[in-house]
């Protein structure tokens, strides 16, 4: 048995905290300053965490090794598992040509690159995050932005920043439900509190995206649409958190945002249009994959129709029939548009079905719960750590649901099982270093948590007293940047936040929610997301470039969040904190 000691260096909290921060220092210095690729930075941080755990915290080597393996296993499933399957799902649409259908549909709304950037990265990305998360919105949306003509680093940076404010309610509200489980606080009150924090970020994020995409000139020209997108999503999140189950908050906010933006584009357009490459190639019409003779006939009909006449399609069984060429083309376009968005519609449908009690109980039969071998860790009070018990929801996890959706999508897109399998294996090969990085980083988190390094840092930060309200979101920011998951950050620091709240007289709901709200900002600089983004846009090994591109924006956002939480802890904004009824 290993008993945690939070002050292993001569009983000094300051010196112990100084040693505990070394793995984080190694990770961010190598990644941000020395331009080391994410995989080697993560591996170096893991070695540092293991060294501190063994030499400073005197954790047995066998338990360190076992804890590292548990972290690596968790890093693969469920964390990177969702990214693997979500990227595969999008690769299928690329193989069938239906990614061009989606771009063509967007071009019909507006040919402007900045407008399409908001639609893809912010609106569509938020919908993807609400359903799956795990880096999927970053990978899928970044590839779509590159197709519009945006440079790879720029596209990745845009998607990393966009995939922040939806994260707290992402993956069907998983971060908040996990936070509720570890803290014992009601899900509804936690959701309401988060809904009074993260929407503030949503107001600014569309403006930031425009600046990254087209600088100050773009902001001057597109700011009305950016405000509509930010306000509509923020309103949807804030109101939804009060009246909807947490599983539906982001879905409703994303759909409201899409509806508001599309409606606004009917009455407004930018004075200067910066055209995308896709609009130049595709024009305003929806692209239809030319995969068979029937489509060639439709093309001929469309050509004839351009002169105002009607095309004649010869039928094989019913003789000659006269059709309106335009009607045929529009019908075909509608079918292809349905097929293009079918993968995501199927994901939504499967997610909804998985929430039905009978089906959910059936899927839960595929869940494995076990005490991780060779791990026996207790707190100084003798309480066993919950992290030593691993749970794998093989069928109910978001990644598995996306995998099922992909399998159902194969015939809809007109692909064969052999083609889909080939794409999946190729996808795994492309993501091998992303998988390695995520497993290493989550291994760091587990070693630091099991040995006591994480708690040492938290106790040290709690010495600030009531001013801890300012630091509270920063802890979530650090934890998410380390694990790549707001859910994992809540599992790591949730109990620490409410324990500090009890010692400082602050609201436990406020600090617990602040951990999750601060964590969403850390998502943008997590090695997991950086690696997935780099792989998706074809700049693997240059994660440090992306880190430097987004770190400034994340520092600005976490400062805003920390100031907001600080004021919410005072009479100035304490009215925003919901009361918990026992």
């Amino acid at each position: 048995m290993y008993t945690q000691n939070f002050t292993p260096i001569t009983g000094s909290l300051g010196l112990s905290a100084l040693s505990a921060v070394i793995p984080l220092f190694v990770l961010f210095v190598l990644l941000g300053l020395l331009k080391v690729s994410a995989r080697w930075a993560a591996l170096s941080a893991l070695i540092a965490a293991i060294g501190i755990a063994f030499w400073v915290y005197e954790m047995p080597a066998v338990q360190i090794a076992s804890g590292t393996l548990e972290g690596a296993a968790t890093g693969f499933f469920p964390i990177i598992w969702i990214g693997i399957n979500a990227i595969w799902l999008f690769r299928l649409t690329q193989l069938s040509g239906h990614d061009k259908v989606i771009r063509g549909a967007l071009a019909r709304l507006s040919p402007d690159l900045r407008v399409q950037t908001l639609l893809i990265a912010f609106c569509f990305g938020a919908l993807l995050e609400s359903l799956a998360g795990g880096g999927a919105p970053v990978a899928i949306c970044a590839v779509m932005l590159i197709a519009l003509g945006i440079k790879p680093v720029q596209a990745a940076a845009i998607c990393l920043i966009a995939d922040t404010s939806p994260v707290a309610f992402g993956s069907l509200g998983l971060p908040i439900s996990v936070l509720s489980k570890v803290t014992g606080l009601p899900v509804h009150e936690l959701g309401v509190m988060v809904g009074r924090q993260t929407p503030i970020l949503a107001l600014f994020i569309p403006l930031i995206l425009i600046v990254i995409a087209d600088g100050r000139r773009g902001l001057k020209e597109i700011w009305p649409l950016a405000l509509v997108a930010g306000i509509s999503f923020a309103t949807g999140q804030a109101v939804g958190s009060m009246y909807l189950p947490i599983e539906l908050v982001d879905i409703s906010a994303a759909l409201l945002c899409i509806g508001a933006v599309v409606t606004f584009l009917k009455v407004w357009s930018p004075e200067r249009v910066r055209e995308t490459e896709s609009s130049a190639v595709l024009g305003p019409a929806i692209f239809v994959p030319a995969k068979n003779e029937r489509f060639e006939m439709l093309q001929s009909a469309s050509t004839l129709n351009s002169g105002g006449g009607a095309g004649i399609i010869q039928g094989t069984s019913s003789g000659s029939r006269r059709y309106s060429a335009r009607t045929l083309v529009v019908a075909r376009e509608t079918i292809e548009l349905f097929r293009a968005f079918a993968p995501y519609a199927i994901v939504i449908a499967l997610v909804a079905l998985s929430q039905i009690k009978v089906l959910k109980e059936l899927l839960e039969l595929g869940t494995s719960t076990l005490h991780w071998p060779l791990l026996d860790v207790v707190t100084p009070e003798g309480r066993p750590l919950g992290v030593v018990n691993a749970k794998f929801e093989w069928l109910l996890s978001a990644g598995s649901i996306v995998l099922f959706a992909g399998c159902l999508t194969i015939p809809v897109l007109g692909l064969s099982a052999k083609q889909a399998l080939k794409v999946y294996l190729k996808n795994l090969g492309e993501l091998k270093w992303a998988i390695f990085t995520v497993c290493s980083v989550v291994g760091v988190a587990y070693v630091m948590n099991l040995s006591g390094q994480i708690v040492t840092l938290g106790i040290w930060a709690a010495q600030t007293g009531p001013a801890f309200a300012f630091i509270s979101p920063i802890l979530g920011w650090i934890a998410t940047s380390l694990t790549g998951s707001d859910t994992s950050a809540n599992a790591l620091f949730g109990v620490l936040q409410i324990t500090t709240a009890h010692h400082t007289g602050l609201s436990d709901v406020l600090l617990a929610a602040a951990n999750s709200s601060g964590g969403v900002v850390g998502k943008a600089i997590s090695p997991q997301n950086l690696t997935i983004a780099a792989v998706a846009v074809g700049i693997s090994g240059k994660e440090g470039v992306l880190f430097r591109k987004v770190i400034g924006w994340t520092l600005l956002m976490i400062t805003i969040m920390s100031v907001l939480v600080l004021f919410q802890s005072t009479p100035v904004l304490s009215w925003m904190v919901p009361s918990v009824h026992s």
Side-chain angles (χ1 to χ4, degrees):
M1 179 183 294
Y2 169 67
T3 302
Q4 291 180 318
N5 179 8
F6 303 138
T7 55
I9 302 180
T10 66
S12 170
L13 181 61
L15 291 176
S16 300
L18 192 61
S19 68
V21 81
I22 289 176
L24 302 180
F25 180 80
V26 168
L27 178 64
F28 292 125
V29 168
L30 291 181
L31 195 60
L33 297 181
L34 302 183
K35 304 179 182 180
V36 176
S37 64
R39 55 180 176 265
W40 304 126
L43 181 60
S44 300
L46 177 58
I47 293 172
I50 290 173
I52 297 298
F54 183 76
W55 295 107
V56 178
Y57 283 77
E58 299 182 349
M59 186 177 184
V62 172
Q63 298 215 43
I64 293 175
S66 182
T68 302
L69 290 176
E70 184 186 9
T74 304
F76 182 82
F77 190 96
I79 295 176
I80 195 65
W81 177 241
I82 174 61
I84 292 171
N85 293 306
I87 294 173
W88 172 63
L89 187 68
F90 183 69
R91 296 283 192 235
L92 293 178
T93 66
Q94 286 183 309
L95 180 63
S96 67
H98 285 85
D99 61 316
K100 298 181 180 65
V101 177
I102 296 175
R103 297 205 307 273
L106 294 174
R108 295 185 70 177
L109 293 173
S110 173
D112 190 276
L113 181 142
R114 290 83 51 92
V115 173
Q116 293 191 34
T117 295
L118 281 179
L119 283 167
I120 292 172
F122 189 71
C123 303
F124 186 52
L127 183 60
L128 291 176
E129 178 64 39
S130 69
L131 297 170
V138 173
I140 293 173
C141 295
V143 173
M144 295 176 71
L145 291 184
I146 288 178
L148 299 179
I150 296 179
K151 296 178 180 178
V153 172
Q154 199 176 18
I158 288 170
C159 294
L160 286 167
I161 295 297
D163 190 35
T164 51
S165 61
V167 167
F169 291 98
S171 300
L172 301 177
L174 183 61
I176 295 177
S177 63
V178 168
L179 183 62
S180 174
K181 288 179 181 178
V182 300
T183 61
L185 295 173
V187 169
H188 178 70
E189 279 73 11
L190 286 172
V192 170
M193 190 67 252
V194 172
R196 295 172 183 177
Q197 294 172 341
T198 56
I200 302 298
L201 297 178
L203 294 174
F204 298 101
I205 287 174
L207 299 171
I208 295 174
L209 302 184
I210 296 301
V211 172
I212 298 175
D214 198 33
R216 294 182 179 179
R217 182 180 180 182
L219 181 62
K220 184 178 180 180
E221 296 171 343
I222 305 296
W223 68 265
L225 183 67
L227 280 183
V228 169
I231 292 173
S232 59
F233 185 82
T235 301
Q237 246 192 2
V239 175
S241 67
M242 292 188 290
Y243 300 108
L244 295 175
I246 59 171
E247 293 85 359
L248 300 179
V249 173
D250 264 358
I251 294 176
S252 62
L255 293 176
L256 177 63
C257 180
I258 293 171
V261 169
V262 170
T263 302
F264 188 67
L265 286 173
K266 293 182 181 298
V267 298
W268 175 91
S269 61
E271 293 182 3
R272 177 181 71 98
V273 176
R274 181 181 170 186
E275 287 197 350
T276 67
E277 289 185 4
S278 63
S279 59
V281 174
L282 304 175
I286 296 177
F287 175 88
V288 182
K291 299 181 66 176
N292 50 44
E293 293 180 0
R294 181 167 177 252
F295 176 66
E296 291 174 3
M297 290 190 291
L298 286 172
Q299 282 185 312
S300 299
S302 180
T303 301
L304 289 171
N305 193 53
S306 63
I312 299 178
I313 306 291
Q314 298 294 329
T316 57
S317 60
S318 59
S320 299
R321 299 179 61 187
R322 185 176 299 274
Y323 292 99
S324 164
R326 182 173 296 277
T327 301
L328 285 173
V329 172
V330 170
R332 179 62 172 166
E333 288 180 344
T334 302
I335 292 172
E336 293 302 332
L337 187 60
F338 169 79
R339 294 173 69 190
F341 284 100
Y344 310 106
I346 292 173
V347 171
I348 294 174
L350 290 183
V351 166
L353 289 173
S354 69
Q355 299 305 304
I356 297 175
K357 185 177 180 181
V358 176
L359 293 177
K360 188 173 184 178
E361 291 176 349
L362 186 63
L363 292 174
E364 284 176 345
L365 295 176
T367 298
S368 301
T369 303
L370 70 153
H371 181 93
W372 196 262
L374 304 178
L375 269 186
D376 192 5
V377 182
V378 297
T379 66
E381 294 78 22
R383 287 182 281 105
L385 257 63
V387 73
V388 302
N389 297 312
K391 183 179 182 180
F392 299 99
E393 295 179 314
W394 304 112
L395 301 179
L396 200 56
S397 74
S400 297
I401 290 175
V402 173
L403 176 62
F404 299 150
C407 293
L408 294 175
T409 295
I410 294 170
V412 175
L413 296 179
L415 301 174
S416 67
K418 184 178 180 180
Q419 287 176 306
L421 179 60
K422 185 177 179 180
V423 172
Y424 197 94
L425 295 176
K426 182 181 178 181
N427 186 48
L428 280 177
E430 292 175 347
L431 290 174
K432 61 180 181 295
W433 286 117
I435 295 170
F436 175 84
T437 301
V438 172
C439 291
S440 297
V441 170
V442 181
V444 173
Y446 267 69
V447 171
M448 292 184 69
N449 189 27
L450 288 165
S451 63
Q453 296 173 57
I454 289 287
V455 178
T456 297
L457 292 174
I459 294 175
W460 176 79
Q463 303 304 302
T464 54
F468 181 79
F470 183 88
I471 299 174
S472 178
I474 298 176
L475 290 181
W477 177 64
I478 291 173
T480 301
S481 64
L482 181 62
T483 64
S485 165
D486 195 40
T487 302
S488 298
N490 289 340
L492 280 176
F493 280 150
V495 174
L496 176 64
Q497 294 278 10
I498 64 170
T499 301
T500 304
H502 296 159
H503 287 292
T504 57
L506 296 170
S507 166
D508 48 7
V509 171
L510 173 63
L511 296 192
N515 191 81
S516 193
S517 298
V520 305
V521 182
K523 187 83 170 179
I525 58 170
S526 69
Q528 171 190 328
N529 260 21
L530 291 172
T531 304
I532 290 176
V535 170
V537 302
I539 56 171
S540 183
K542 296 183 179 180
E543 294 86 357
V545 176
L546 289 179
F547 179 85
R548 293 189 294 277
K549 188 80 172 178
V550 300
I551 183 63
W553 294 114
T554 63
L555 289 173
L556 173 63
M557 289 192 288
I558 194 60
T559 300
I560 292 173
M561 183 58 62
S562 293
V563 171
L564 173 64
V565 173
L566 178 62
F567 278 110
Q568 287 176 334
S569 70
T570 68
V572 178
L573 293 179
S574 60
W575 54 270
M576 299 180 71
V577 181
S579 57
V580 178
H581 302 286
S582 57

